[in-house]
Amino acid sequence: MTLAMLSMTMTFAENEEAKNVNSVEAYDMSVNMRKLSVALDLNADQMEAVESIHNTFNAEMQLAAQAEAADRQERVNKAVERDIKWMHYVLNEKQYRTYLMLLNTTLNNRGLKVNK
């Protein structure tokens, strides 16, 4: 009985993850920039740069959502790779580590995987 429940739970979770990945909303990376600024302790120059980088990232993720299923993962990987590369340039190490934690949590919560 326990094995059957575990199997059903795992199947349900996999189906939910598949629905999330196929949902356009899962790729919407919009954030409250004021809250992100506070979380990362950004100065004014950093805030402007981070907002610009994030807007580009969000646009790339929206394009990934609209892509054919076969191309979607590659587009997500490239968008994330560019985003973290540019963020690493703008943020100090402490801010960057915090940003990576927030980004990874967001991607995981939405069922999006990044292949490194």
Side-chain angles (χ1 to χ4, degrees), residues 26-53:
Y27 295 83
D28 182 5
M29 295 291 133
S30 299
V31 297
N32 180 320
M33 289 308 296
R34 186 182 60 75
K35 287 183 179 180
L36 182 61
S37 175
V38 170
L40 298 177
D41 192 27
L42 301 176
N43 65 37
D45 291 335
Q46 286 177 314
M47 188 170 174
E48 186 176 329
V50 165
E51 185 171 15
S52 178
I53 293 165

Side-chain angles (χ1 to χ4, degrees), residues 56-98:
T56 301
F57 175 60
N58 194 30
E60 290 177 349
M61 291 297 285
Q62 290 300 307
L63 289 172
Q66 302 298 324
E68 296 292 325
D71 297 332
R72 199 171 294 143
Q73 185 63 54
E74 182 180 351
R75 286 178 177 253
V76 167
N77 292 344
K78 286 182 180 180
V80 170
E81 185 179 316
R82 277 191 290 272
D83 180 63
I84 62 175
K85 177 182 170 187
W86 293 340
M87 288 295 189
H88 196 231
Y89 179 75
V90 171
L91 303 173
N92 66 37
E93 285 303 313
K94 181 179 178 188
Q95 292 167 324
Y96 181 69
R97 283 192 309 273
T98 301

